[in-house]
Amino acid sequence: MTDQQETQPPTTLPAHLRNPVTRAMVRVQNRIVRAAREHLTAQGFTELRPPIIGPVTDPGGRGSKQIDIDFYGHRYKLMTSAILYKQASLLAFDKIFCVAPNVRLEPLETANTSRHLVEFHQLDVEIAGASRNDAMNVAQDIVATAAAAVVADLEDELAVLGRDPQAFAALLKEDAPFDRMTHADAVAGLSRLGHPQNPDAEIDWEGEALLSVRADRPFFITDYPKGSRGFYDRENPERPGVLTNFDLIAPEGYGELISGSEREHDYARIVARMRETGENPAKYAWYLDMVRGGIPASSGFGIGLERLTRYIAGLDAVWQATAFPKTPGVVSA
Ligand code: AMP
Ligand code: MG
């Protein structure tokens, strides 16, 4: 990855689609999805296709706006994530995954992060009865399995992309768990690097890049503060204000790949957390009716497919990791 990152998508879609880099990227992405599907299916996961519209969706995005549509006179949303339907899916199966599109009107400031698309996909996993640790292990396995498959099978594509397979030497050599640091450790580390980070908020883009650049394998940040996430990340009962959640950060400056957590599943807790996060519980009628009837405790996570593709393919910007890029504020195909 270069320091000087390209942030604008190519002028025309045909030029992007004819670019050998795009073709190599698509093959890498296909291999990533196939590796994840095969791995999860072998572990007993069932793949579902979640809806793309509904009366409510994940409110958890960092400052992004939802897109409304007119559903026969009712205001519906395009899905910003599959979280509500992932919890619902556990009524049918204990271990589920999906690969689904999400749409978020990201703030214009994110147009230059090289990490934000308006339309992207998540490879989403949810596991009934699982701890955060169980979910982190599954997340690590998917990233390692996908990188190994690309390195083993797509030497020519990596050459077209200029991606040195040695970039994954540390990831593929050690069988050890990825390093873990708490959000509080990350804040302290950033302060030592001269980067002031608000201890009550998400790690900012610049801070995340500083930590990411220093790593040679992906690593986890755990225990984010309550104000930084949606109502569904479970609050640690022994440490009020701290969430039992995690992000997986890619090395080399590529930044966040995954967010996940243990989930709130108790009706009263969910309603309380909705109120605390400024959500109106009345809007979540179908979801809260379901929760009142009982949903399993669970843990899960979402992998940004284009973010993972960007890291594995070694691309400068995330718009290069999709055949049909839509970046914040840019009117395009
Ligand atoms: P979140 O729950 O908001 O953390 O989203 C889950 C994952 O989706 C993130 O860890 C990213 O990998 C990916 N993601 C979120 N927002 C975007 C975006 N605007 N563009 C591309 N990928 C995204
Ligand atoms: Mg996140």
Side-chain angles (χ1 to χ4, degrees):
M1 195 173 56
T2 55
D3 284 344
Q4 188 57 45
Q5 292 168 355
E6 285 178 74
T7 53
Q8 292 307 305
T11 46
T12 69
L13 186 59
H16 179 56
L17 291 170
R18 283 198 192 101
N19 188 337
V21 167
T22 305
R23 287 202 300 272
M25 173 285 291
V26 169
R27 292 198 192 102
V28 166
Q29 191 166 77
N30 284 347
R31 193 67 193 89
I32 291 170
V33 174
R34 180 152 75 87
R37 279 209 167 98
E38 285 170 359
H39 177 75
L40 289 168
T41 305
Q43 306 289 315
F45 284 78
T46 301
E47 180 172 4
L48 279 81
R49 270 144 291 278
I52 54 172
I53 59 170
V56 278
T57 185
D58 181 355
R62 291 184 188 188
S64 66
K65 291 209 182 81
Q66 302 179 348
I67 296 186
D68 291 344
I69 61 159
D70 177 9
F71 184 77
Y72 304 96
H74 298 270
R75 206 203 300 172
Y76 266 38
K77 312 276 185 193
L78 294 183
M79 288 301 132
T80 53
S81 92
I83 178 65
L84 306 177
Y85 298 94
K86 287 205 298 175
Q87 287 181 289
S89 304
L90 299 180
L91 297 176
F93 301 99
D94 284 346
K95 298 162 91 175
I96 64 100
F97 73 101
C98 48
V99 184
N102 300 146
V103 185
R104 302 181 186 178
L105 291 177
E106 297 286 359
L108 281 175
E109 307 89 86
T110 62
N112 291 320
T113 62
S114 304
R115 276 177 279 176
H116 288 88
L117 292 164
V118 171
E119 201 176 19
F120 61 99
H121 293 75
Q122 285 196 64
L123 200 165
D124 251 314
V125 172
E126 199 70 25
I127 316 162
S131 66
R132 169 176 66 178
N133 203 46
D134 297 333
M136 289 164 81
N137 289 338
V138 175
Q140 167 161 352
D141 288 346
I142 292 174
V143 171
T145 306
V150 171
V151 169
D153 295 352
L154 297 183
E155 202 181 321
D156 292 351
E157 282 75 6
L158 289 178
V160 169
L161 292 160
R163 184 62 158 154
D164 183 351
Q166 281 306 312
F168 306 103
L171 168 58
L172 299 178
K173 189 180 74 200
E174 300 166 44
D175 213 9
F178 292 159
D179 284 348
R180 297 169 185 208
M181 67 171 86
T182 63
H183 180 271
D185 293 339
V187 170
L190 285 170
S191 157
R192 283 193 295 277
L193 293 169
H195 179 84
Q197 162 66 48
N198 178 351
D200 299 320
E202 282 269 16
I203 309 289
D204 58 39
W205 307 125
E206 211 184 306
E208 193 185 280
L210 277 171
L211 296 172
S212 170
V213 155
R214 280 169 173 71
D216 69 348
R217 304 175 85 207
F219 63 96
F220 289 108
I221 301 179
T222 63
D223 297 323
Y224 284 76
K226 192 151 86 163
S228 67
R229 296 288 164 99
F231 62 80
Y232 44 81
D233 279 18
R234 182 163 177 261
E235 187 170 6
N236 185 334
E238 271 115 57
R239 296 174 61 204
V242 176
L243 301 174
T244 308
N245 64 0
F246 65 90
D247 273 8
L248 184 72
I249 313 294
E252 303 174 70
Y254 290 105
E256 177 189 334
L257 296 176
I258 300 181
S259 286
S261 71
E262 279 179 26
R263 311 302 189 188
E264 297 285 7
H265 58 97
D266 173 73
Y267 176 79
R269 297 247 354 111
I270 289 180
V271 171
R273 291 289 308 284
M274 281 181 172
R275 293 216 166 95
E276 283 171 12
T277 53
E279 288 302 310
N280 176 3
K283 289 190 178 163
Y284 290 82
W286 79 260
Y287 175 74
L288 288 174
D289 284 349
M290 173 185 78
V291 171
R292 203 188 282 113
I295 57 167
S298 67
S299 289
F301 56 86
I303 303 181
L305 180 59
E306 291 81 5
R307 297 261 187 102
L308 181 60
T309 304
R310 178 186 173 216
Y311 160 54
I312 292 182
L315 297 166
D316 287 341
V318 75
W319 66 260
Q320 295 172 297
T322 167
F324 307 105
K326 280 194 188 63
T327 49
V330 177
V331 176
S332 54

